[in-house]
Each structure stands twice: as structure tokens, then as C-alpha cells.
Amino acid sequence: MGDIAAELEATVRAAAASGTKLSIVAGGSKSFLGRDVAGECLDVSGHSGILDYQPAELVLTARAGTTLTEIAQCLEDCGQMLPFEPPVFDGKATIGGTLACDAAGPARPWRGSVRDATLGVTLINGRGERLRFGGQVLKNVAGYDVSRLQAGAMGTLGVMTEVTVRLLPIPAATATLVREMDAAAAIRRMNEMTRTPLPISAAAWLDGKLYMRLEGAERAVAGARGKIEADFDSGDESIWRHIREQSLEFFKGSTPLWRFSVASNSGHRNADEPWLLDWGGAQRWLRGEFDAQYLESLACDLGGQVSLYRHGDRSGEVFHPQVPAMRNVQMRLKKSFDPHGIFNVGRMYDGI
Amino acid sequence: MNASAKTDDGGKLALAARFRELLRADQIIVDAESKRPYECDALPVYKAMPLLVLVPETTRQVQAIVRLCYELKVPVVARGAGTGLSAGALPDSNGVLVSLARLSRIIEVDPDARIARVQPGVRNLAISEAAEEFGLYYAPDPSSQIACSIGGNIAENSGGVHCLKYGLTVHNVLGMEIVTAEGEILQVGGRGLDTAGYDLNALFIGSEGLLGIVTEVWVKLLPKPEHARVVMAGFDSVLNAGDAVSAVIAAGIIPAGLEMMDGFAIQAAEDFVNAGYPRDARALLLCEVDGNEDEVLEHVERIESLFREFGATSCRVSRDDAERALFWKGRKAAFPAAGRISPDYYCMDGTIPRRKIGAVLEAIQQLSEQYGLRISNVFHAGDGNLHPLILFDASVPGELHAAEELGGKILELCVQVGGSITGEHGVGVEKLRYMLAQFNDAELAQFHAIKDALDPAGILNPGKGIPTLRQCQEYRSIDASGGAKR
Ligand SMILES: Cc1cc2nc3c(=O)[nH]c(=O)nc-3n(C[C@H](O)[C@H](O)[C@H](O)COP(=O)(O)OP(=O)(O)OC[C@H]3O[C@@H](n4cnc5c(N)ncnc54)[C@H](O)[C@@H]3O)c2cc1C
Ligand SMILES: Cc1cc2nc3c(=O)[nH]c(=O)nc-3n(C[C@H](O)[C@H](O)[C@H](O)COP(=O)(O)OP(=O)(O)OC[C@H]3O[C@@H](n4cnc5c(N)ncnc54)[C@H](O)[C@@H]3O)c2cc1C
């Protein structure tokens, strides 16, 4: 627990003056995500501590380097949680890094992403100015939404020093159900069920099995269970943790891991390949050596995008390519925050 | 205000001639009488005549219009339904107003993916109507939902009664097609839950038409809840009611809607619609819970007992959907009800942390006495979004001015307690000067840098949303000289 914002600010100012590139690191060990980036390490993990927690407001403000584990422990006492069910990875993940990567777990389609829960940030921009955007209230439309813009920006727009997020009560009851079926049938089933007002909070398919999680008030879960139990069995709840933490056998080894973010109901393709479907069909993982262009056109067919998530060549582009007009907008946006090009340059795309 | 338009009739006609190469004659409105309906939005305190009103029917036409404006450096203001409350769609007297009203097609409803693809001029409520046959709906429900357009909702990040549980516009839009200030067509987001790169959905939503013109939208649809009930409770003080609101949330219940009305608003609404509100109450809470029937019953029991514990003087639960609608009717009619008891009213919009509700309402009451203007409070208590209605009579010299000044004091109060100068109506022209209460110069400069990145020529909705540094200096020198606050 500590406040090193002033030091971070000074470092950024010096880097801006000398044009020194910085690589922002919080929990560390995340070199696998995004592209390789050179630069002096700017360690923000020392900037940690919960600053404000108001259970009745469902709002928490923490320094960006605070670990998710610390936050979860604090929330649990009041029966609350971070809605986006983020991976905690050996306790290393921080709230700043989680927002920068928009890293959300299986509940994401139902409870929203990190972006959705974000209410405010304090950010040191590339001019070394510490700026506050958003705040602690749910509704705030004064100025542009710079806080939510940080989600998935991978630290290329600035160093976050404080993050305010919205919380949810921990559901009173939960149940995990499982049933054998193939992936194509699972996609249909997940979408069918998501269309109805069942208290679903996760739906995933792997190894020939569809897993569903129900969460809510005691009576809601019991009622919903009654409705769908006929053809499902009770499943092991730990499946969700393993999917979230990527600790399943599926994720092990050094074969490239591809992430598809697509329309939830798009058809199942390349059925012989090793797939894991999450987010009710909207997030699909694929293992193997593939031609990136081939997967990109496949992703477009499925109504979305693909990225080379882990392993493989991290020196080339790893995220879905952008059309020139989009690339132009993104370059200019980067420049508006980071005119001297010092933050995580190239982590997202070449030059960004 | 429209001096240049008058002196520049020739310029206007020459401009119209250029647009005639792109649009049919009936899509270009030149004469003053036909332009009149576009001179303001729902905040008619601000009015201006644009050079021309253009009514495109396709994305390509919007693109062609913006390209020409970019080439000629002519300001472009987009307009949806004109229900905005901060003069965001106020025309620029040296520019064109682009009405998106004819881009009003629901292109597709995909019930399996729970997505609707619509044009920007589609009315908010029309989306839910189209999704109804599939048991789905579009969650954000601004009170203006019968009239306002989804394009305007995106520009203002509109919210409604249900956003405590279901989020704002930003939580319910997956993607958009946007015409940039330079006339490029961008696809932002898509049918998946996220895309790589910067989250431009987040940036565009709530940007008040300053960064691009929305020409198509993919919205998320949700399954209609099986069951819903409203608990209506009267309290003898707003403080108790405020505490009861916090108690519900702290108990782990997220209501679908949680609204508060003060004594004044209760009377006005009851006179107007006879919803059965307790006339003697000083504060009324309407708390809706939805979901599976069992869950709703479980939560209703909890809420009732919490309300009584926090001093409710009366408590009723809606027995059926008709009664639920009746309970809401008074709330929804609160603005017109105020219109019946006062010649004019000024609707403010600011947010505060929930726990400050009692204290802020007391301070507002003091301001009301100090200015000699009545204030009726009806608001989204669940998310701390206040809508004080300042009642005044514009025919009395100085009253409008006093109402505006009082409104400004309330906004400054919101920021002081940790809130915002606008929760859902936007900054527009109306609140430009109060941006200084919430942001410092470096923060405002960062906003300008974003604007310059996306609109280097500054042609999109100029003069709105973010005060220029020169305006900031002006506002400050007025304040420093102790002159009128407005
Ligand atoms: C599905 C999934 C699987 C993952 N698997 C693993 C794993 O096995 N092992 C592991 O160690 N991690 C893993 N991660 C990554 C990691 O857990 C999350 O991304 C994590 O939340 C990052 O937190 P961190 O604090 O460690 O950030 P870092 O890894 O240090 O940084 C991540 C990114 O955020 C930026 N950043 C961090 N802090 C800030 C800040 N304050 N301001 C601005 N930018 C900032 C960094 O520059 C970098 O671009 C995984 C993530 C996901 C989504
Ligand atoms: C009685 C009443 C009740 C209201 N209740 C609520 C409420 O509960 N919640 C709430 O949030 N608001 C409310 N409002 C405010 C208003 O209805 C919303 O702000 C609405 O979103 C405006 O939509 P519109 O189509 O009328 O937009 P307009 O008023 O036409 O425009 C608003 C802004 O959007 C921009 N714009 C419009 N279309 C586009 C486009 N296609 N691309 C880019 N920019 C565009 C305009 O330039 C302008 O800046 C209420 C208004 C009234 C009159």
C-alpha cells in the first residue's frame, strides 16, 4: 500500500522531455499479451491501496496497482463483488492492468465488461499531467468518456493512477449444470436459453459438454433449475474458475492461442479443430498454428474479430487488422494523449 | 445571432446549389418558415437559424454532405428528434443542420443474437416494439422514449428509470456506423462483445455529436423479465426516504427502478393523474423489482420490511400490471404536472452520490427560499440523478435569469459533493460554463485534443460540449469581477 503518483508523474514528465519510451508494468509477467514492446520499465505496482469503499453506493475507488485479490477480500465482507469476474492469476493481477486489458471472465455477457463497470479514472497523460475523468456516480455525461476509453487500451494512452468501479452484490445462490452435446448444438442451445429470462450468468462449451451457470436469489435459481434440469446434470462449479484463470489442459503448452470475439449465434466452423467456447458463444478460443489471414476472414464470417492471444510471433501484428480510416483515427487518438509517443508504443498495433 | 445568415443570402443560395448536386430539392430546406421548427431543441431558451436544413435518406448522402462541408469548412450540426434538453442540437447560424429523421428504418432484428440493427432516426420505443414479438426489448428508456431517436440517445448517453439495473446507452450498444468529420465511413464495434483497438463505442457515446455522425446502430436486446412489481412508500422526510434507498441497495437488491418524488411533486402529480399517491407524504419512493416471479416476491418482501424499518408512513405493492402502470403514471407525468402549476419550469440535471441525497435536497430547499423560486424534485434516486424542476414565470422580468442562476448553484453543489453537472441531458450550450466547476484547464485541454484528433477542422457541432479556453477565461473574469453569474 503506497502512493507513488507524484514519482510516476515526475518519471513521465522526464520521459516526455527526453523522448524516452516507457513500458508500464503492474503485476508483471504479461508480456504474452499484445505485441512485444521496448522501453524502460515503469513499475506501477507500488501505487496501491483501496481509497474509498461505500457498500451502500456499490462503488469502490482504488489505486491502479491494487491487486484484485485485495479488492475481492475487502468486498467479500460486505457481500459484494466486481461484476466482471476477472482473472486474478496467482494474485498478481491489478485493477489498473485489468482495466487496461479489459480482462473479464465468463459472466461478461450478463454482468458486463470491465469497461461497463468503470465509472472514473485518474490518468497521467503523455504530457505528465494528472487528470481526472468520470467520477463515482453511475450517470455522468460531462465531457468525453475518457475513463471507459482506457478499457482495452493496454496502457497506450497513459498511466492510470486511480480507478473507480461499480460493484454488484454477490448472488445469494448459484448452480452449475452440464450436459453432453456437440459444439454446434451448444451454440444453438446457449443462444436459445439466453433469449429467455433465465438467471444465467455463464455458458460455455468444451470437450463435448455444455456448461451453464445460474445465479440470483434463492428462489430464482431454484425455479430456473426446475425448468431446465430435465436434460441437464449438476456440474462442478470450479469449471468457471478454470476457464477464467485459463488453467485448463486446453490452455497448456506453447501452441498459439487465438481468441475470437464474434456474434454469439454465428455457426460453428472448423469443427475438427480444438475449440473452447465461452460467453454464450461470443468468445471462442482456438489452439494451433494457423495462417492469421485465414483466421481473420473466418472471424469476419462469424461477425467479429480474431487476435493472436498468446504465444506465436509477438513482433508482428497480433490483433485483428484495421482499415486505413480506422487506423488513422486510432493513431491520432493515441497522439492526443501521448504526443511524444512514450507509453507502451507498439503494444497494440505497430506504432500504437 | 443570425446576422451573417441575413447578410449572406447569396452565400446561402450558392451553398444550396452545391447541395443540390447531392440531394433532391425536397431534401434541402432553404426558406425561413420551413426552417423554423429546427431552430431549437426542447430547451427553447436558445434559438438560431441554420443556413440550410438538410434531410438525407442514406448513409451515402450523409457522407456526401459532410465531405462537402469539410471541403468548404462549413459547420454541421446533427439533429435527431430535437428532444434534447441542453441545446445540443441548436443550429449554427453559419452552418447546416442535418436532420436524421428520415433514416428511420429498423434494418434487422436478430432474435437469436439478441441484436437489432437500426438507423439513427428510429425512435427509442420503436425498437422495443419491434422486438416485442420475440419477447425481447431495448433496455434504456428515457422518459422521452416515445419521441427521441436512438442517434440522439447515443449522442447523450441517455438513461432512464431502468438504468440502475440495466445500464445506460453505453452499456446497451454493440456497434455503430459513423461518418467522420472528414467524411469517412467507420464501423465501430460490431456484433461481438468487443473489438481490438481503442473502444470507440465508449468514446462516441455521450460525445454530443462532436466527433462524428451516427448513421447506423447495433443495439443489444434483452429478454423481457417474466414479472415485475412496484413497491410504493410514503415517508415523512426526504432524509428517511434517502436512507431507505441506501438500505435497499446495501441489502443486496438491485431494483429495476428506484425513483423519488418530494412533497411538492407528489401533490402536482396526484392532482394531474390520480395515481393514488399519499398526499400527506413529504417524500415518495417507487421501487420496481423484476425477474423471475419467485425472485420478485422474495425481494418485494425484503423491500417492504426495509421501508417500514426506515420510517415509511405508508406502503403498497402493485397487485397487477395495471396498478403498476398507474403507480408509474404519476412519476412519468411529473414534468407536465409541473407545467400545469407554473407558467414555466426549468429542468436541471445533475448527479450526486446516493448517500448525499438528503443533505443535497435540504440545500436545494434553502436555495429555493433564497431565490424565492419553488422547486419540485422528481428524480432517479437509485443512481443519484437529480432533476430539480425550478418553477418560474418568464413574463416576470428577471425570473428566467434567476432560475438559470439558481440552476447553476445546484450544479456546483452536485460537483462539491462528488457528483457531476450532468447525468443524462448533456452539456450542449446550456452547461458550458459549469464544465469549469468539474474540470481543470489541463482536463479541458485533453478534451480539445481528442476533438482535434477526430475533427481537425472543427466542423462538427462547434461551440458545444467543451468550453474553449477563451470562454473559460471569460467566465472566470465575470466571476472575479463579482458580476452577474450568467
Ligand atoms: C484470459 C486471460 C488470461 C491471462 N493469463 C495470464 C497468466 O496466465 N499469467 C499472467 O500473469 N497473466 C495473465 N493474464 C493477464 C493478466 O492477468 C491480466 O491482464 C491482468 O489483469 C493484468 O494485470 P497486471 O496488473 O498484471 O498488468 P500487467 O500485465 O502488468 O499489464 C497489462 C497491461 O496493462 C497496462 N497497465 C498496467 N497497469 C497500468 C496502469 N496503471 N496504467 C496504464 N496501463 C497499465 C500494461 O502496460 C500492459 O499493457 C491473462 C489475462 C486474461 C484476460
Ligand atoms: C420530457 C422529456 C423527458 C426526457 N427524459 C429524459 C430521460 O429520462 N433520460 C435522458 O437521458 N434524457 C431525457 N430527455 C432528454 C432527451 O430526450 C435525450 O437527450 C435524447 O437522447 C435526445 O434525443 P433526440 O433524438 O431528441 O436528439 P436531439 O435533441 O435531436 O439531439 C441531441 C444531441 O444529439 C446529437 N445527435 C442527434 N442525432 C445524432 C446522430 N445521428 N449522430 C450524432 N449526433 C447526433 C445532436 O447534435 C445533439 O447534440 C428528456 C427530454 C424531454 C423533453
Side-chain angles (χ1 to χ4, degrees), chain A residues 56-57 115-116 125 127 132 139-141 156 166 191 194-195 219 227 259 261 305 330 332 336, chain B residues 114 163-164 170-171 182 194 196 198-199 226 298 351 354-355 380 385 420 422 424 443 446 453:
Chain A
E57 298 278 338
R115 168 198 108 144
D116 292 334
N125 69 5
R127 297 174 196 85
R132 275 189 52 154
K139 285 180 172 170
N140 180 352
V141 291
T156 59
R166 187 170 188 237
N191 281 282
T194 303
R195 264 182 72 172
R219 293 192 215 168
K227 267 182 215 160
R259 173 181 183 261
S261 176
Q305 298 193 337
Q330 303 246 335
R332 287 199 211 155
S336 75
Chain B
R114 302 164 308 283
C163 65
L164 176 61
V170 70
H171 301 109
E182 286 150 306
D194 52 37
Y198 298 125
D199 187 341
E226 256 172 26
E298 185 174 321
T351 36
R354 246 186 319 259
R355 65 185 180 282
H380 312 298
N385 186 193
S420 167
T422 172
E424 55 185 18
E443 287 153 358
Q446 182 61 61

Side-chain angles (χ1 to χ4, degrees), chain A residues 52 54-58 78 80 102 108-109 115-117 125 127 129-146 148-149 151-153 156-157 166-169 172 190-192 194-199 216-221 223-224 227 259 261-265 279-280 282 303-305 319-320 322-323 325-326 328-334 336-337 348-349 352, chain B residues 110-114 134-136 156-157 159-160 163-164 168 170-171 173 182 184 186-188 191-203 205-208 210-211 223-226 246 249-250 252-254 292 294-295 297-299 301 351-356 380 383 385 418-427 435 438-440 442-443 446-447 449-454 456 466:
Chain A
D52 190 21
Q54 304 281 345
E57 298 278 338
L58 290 170
C78 294
Q80 298 183 350
D102 202 19
R108 193 244 174 277
R115 168 198 108 144
D116 292 334
N125 69 5
R127 297 174 196 85
E129 299 161 332
R130 209 186 315 172
L131 312 174
R132 275 189 52 154
F133 298 101
Q136 299 209 318
V137 289
L138 177 63
K139 285 180 172 170
N140 180 352
V141 291
Y144 305 120
D145 195 343
V146 175
R148 292 192 182 97
L149 184 61
T156 59
L157 300 178
R166 187 170 188 237
L167 311 168
L168 278 184
M190 288 190 282
N191 281 282
E192 253 168 43
T194 303
R195 264 182 72 172
T196 63
L198 288 167
E218 301 274 357
R219 293 192 215 168
V221 171
K227 267 182 215 160
R259 173 181 183 261
S261 176
V262 295
S264 63
N265 66 336
W279 293 3
Q305 298 193 337
F319 290 112
H320 202 95
Q322 298 182 321
V323 298
M326 178 59 96
N328 185 16
V329 165
Q330 303 246 335
M331 284 291 264
R332 287 199 211 155
L333 205 51
K334 156 93 176 162
S336 75
F337 282 88
M348 218 157 65
Y349 288 98
I352 301 183
Chain B
D110 180 343
D112 278 321
R114 302 164 308 283
F134 307 107
L136 301 169
E156 304 291 3
N157 192 13
C163 65
L164 176 61
L168 308 159
V170 70
H171 301 109
V173 166
E182 286 150 306
E184 299 276 2
L186 274 192
Q187 190 191 312
V188 167
R191 301 172 72 91
L193 291 172
D194 52 37
T195 51
Y198 298 125
D199 187 341
L200 297 188
N201 274 331
L203 185 63
I205 296 174
S207 66
E208 304 196 29
L210 269 73
L211 302 181
K224 281 172 75 174
E226 256 172 26
S246 295
I249 310 275
I253 299 171
I254 306 290
N292 149 312
D294 291 329
E295 177 181 24
L297 295 180
E298 185 174 321
H299 283 163
E301 282 165 24
T351 36
I352 57 169
R354 246 186 319 259
R355 65 185 180 282
K356 303 283 170 69
H380 312 298
D383 50 38
N385 186 193
S420 167
I421 58 164
T422 172
E424 55 185 18
H425 293 170
V427 174
M435 287 290 279
Q438 201 171 327
F439 298 102
N440 65 30
E443 287 153 358
Q446 182 61 61
F447 286 147
I450 294 171
K451 168 78 170 166
D452 294 343
L454 275 104
I466 322 284

Side-chain angles (χ1 to χ4, degrees), chain A residues 95-116:
Chain A
I95 188 72
T98 298
L99 175 55
C101 302
D102 202 19
R108 193 244 174 277
W110 295 276
R111 293 199 218 123
S113 60
V114 191
R115 168 198 108 144
D116 292 334

Side-chain angles (χ1 to χ4, degrees), chain A:
Chain A
M1 162 119 192
D3 179 356
I4 57 163
E7 288 159 49
L8 293 173
E9 217 179 296
T11 311
V12 172
R13 275 182 207 264
S18 62
T20 308
K21 298 206 184 319
L22 299 174
S23 167
I24 307 167
V25 178
S29 71
K30 259 36 122 246
S31 44
F32 78 86
L33 205 60
R35 303 171 74 242
D36 291 340
V37 42
E40 259 172 46
C41 167
L42 181 66
D43 185 351
V44 298
S45 59
H47 191 62
S48 77
I50 292 167
L51 297 173
D52 190 21
Y53 171 40
Q54 304 281 345
E57 298 278 338
L58 290 170
V59 171
L60 173 133
T61 302
R63 295 201 184 100
T66 314
T67 62
L68 298 180
T69 313
E70 184 183 342
I71 292 175
Q73 275 162 3
C74 164
L75 297 180
E76 237 173 73
D77 295 339
C78 294
Q80 298 183 350
M81 63 178 186
L82 295 169
F84 40 84
E85 205 181 10
V88 294
F89 296 114
D90 306 325
K92 280 193 236 144
T94 64
I95 188 72
T98 298
L99 175 55
C101 302
D102 202 19
R108 193 244 174 277
W110 295 276
R111 293 199 218 123
S113 60
V114 191
R115 168 198 108 144
D116 292 334
T118 300
L119 298 178
V121 301
T122 306
L123 176 87
I124 303 171
N125 69 5
R127 297 174 196 85
E129 299 161 332
R130 209 186 315 172
L131 312 174
R132 275 189 52 154
F133 298 101
Q136 299 209 318
V137 289
L138 177 63
K139 285 180 172 170
N140 180 352
V141 291
Y144 305 120
D145 195 343
V146 175
S147 335
R148 292 192 182 97
L149 184 61
Q150 301 312 315
M154 303 201 75
T156 59
L157 300 178
V159 186
M160 287 181 266
T161 54
E162 285 171 28
V163 177
T164 301
V165 286
R166 187 170 188 237
L167 311 168
L168 278 184
I170 295 173
T174 176
T176 295
L177 302 173
V178 60
R179 195 202 150 163
E180 282 193 17
M181 66 178 79
D182 67 27
I187 290 172
R188 280 194 301 274
R189 192 66 193 258
M190 288 190 282
N191 281 282
E192 253 168 43
M193 290 171 84
T194 303
R195 264 182 72 172
T196 63
L198 288 167
I200 297 169
S201 73
W205 176 92
L206 65 144
D207 294 337
K209 290 193 184 108
L210 171 63
Y211 295 84
M212 307 283 302
R213 184 175 62 190
L214 303 170
E215 279 183 325
E218 301 274 357
R219 293 192 215 168
V221 171
R225 234 191 131 118
K227 267 182 215 160
I228 56 176
E229 202 158 45
D231 52 354
F232 277 86
D233 297 321
S234 286
D236 180 358
E237 202 184 324
S238 69
I239 184 76
W240 307 113
R241 194 181 70 242
H242 289 304
I243 292 177
R244 185 186 76 210
E245 304 293 334
Q246 303 200 329
S247 52
L248 295 163
E249 204 49 46
F250 177 89
F251 292 103
K252 299 207 171 115
S254 58
T255 337
L257 173 65
W258 304 85
R259 173 181 183 261
F260 287 74
S261 176
V262 295
S264 63
N265 66 336
S266 53
H268 187 56
R269 303 275 295 271
N270 299 52
D272 295 335
E273 311 292 353
W275 289 94
L276 187 161
L277 316 180
D278 193 8
W279 293 3
Q283 178 173 248
R284 303 182 188 182
W285 301 96
L286 174 64
R287 291 304 299 259
E289 303 280 352
F290 290 94
D291 173 44
Q293 275 183 354
Y294 165 70
L295 292 188
E296 281 152 20
S297 71
L298 176 61
C300 291
D301 286 352
L302 301 176
Q305 298 193 337
V306 64
S307 61
L308 174 55
Y309 192 80
R310 198 197 279 251
H311 307 302
D313 176 15
R314 321 297 306 178
S315 59
E317 295 295 355
V318 299
F319 290 112
H320 202 95
Q322 298 182 321
V323 298
M326 178 59 96
R327 181 174 167 79
N328 185 16
V329 165
Q330 303 246 335
M331 284 291 264
R332 287 199 211 155
L333 205 51
K334 156 93 176 162
K335 224 170 170 184
S336 75
F337 282 88
D338 182 17
H340 311 292
I342 56 174
F343 295 126
N344 287 358
V345 179
R347 178 109 201 204
M348 218 157 65
Y349 288 98
D350 182 23
I352 301 183

Side-chain angles (χ1 to χ4, degrees), chain B residues 279-356:
Chain B
R279 281 181 181 277
D280 54 344
R282 303 288 293 276
L284 182 86
L285 288 182
L286 290 168
C287 182
E288 176 160 306
V289 277
D290 67 14
N292 149 312
E293 183 163 3
D294 291 329
E295 177 181 24
V296 170
L297 295 180
E298 185 174 321
H299 283 163
V300 162
E301 282 165 24
R302 269 317 286 288
I303 291 168
E304 259 194 287
S305 76
L306 280 170
F307 280 179
R308 292 198 192 279
E309 200 178 306
F310 281 82
T313 47
S314 66
C315 197
R316 281 172 63 189
V317 180
S318 63
R319 279 162 301 193
D320 51 31
D321 278 350
E323 194 171 54
R324 186 167 69 93
L326 181 66
F327 286 178
W328 279 119
K329 199 170 163 197
R331 163 65 185 90
K332 296 209 162 151
F335 290 8
R340 284 193 356 146
I341 56 173
S342 172
D344 301 282
Y345 66 87
Y346 188 32
C347 174
M348 298 310 296
D349 162 48
T351 36
I352 57 169
R354 246 186 319 259
R355 65 185 180 282
K356 303 283 170 69

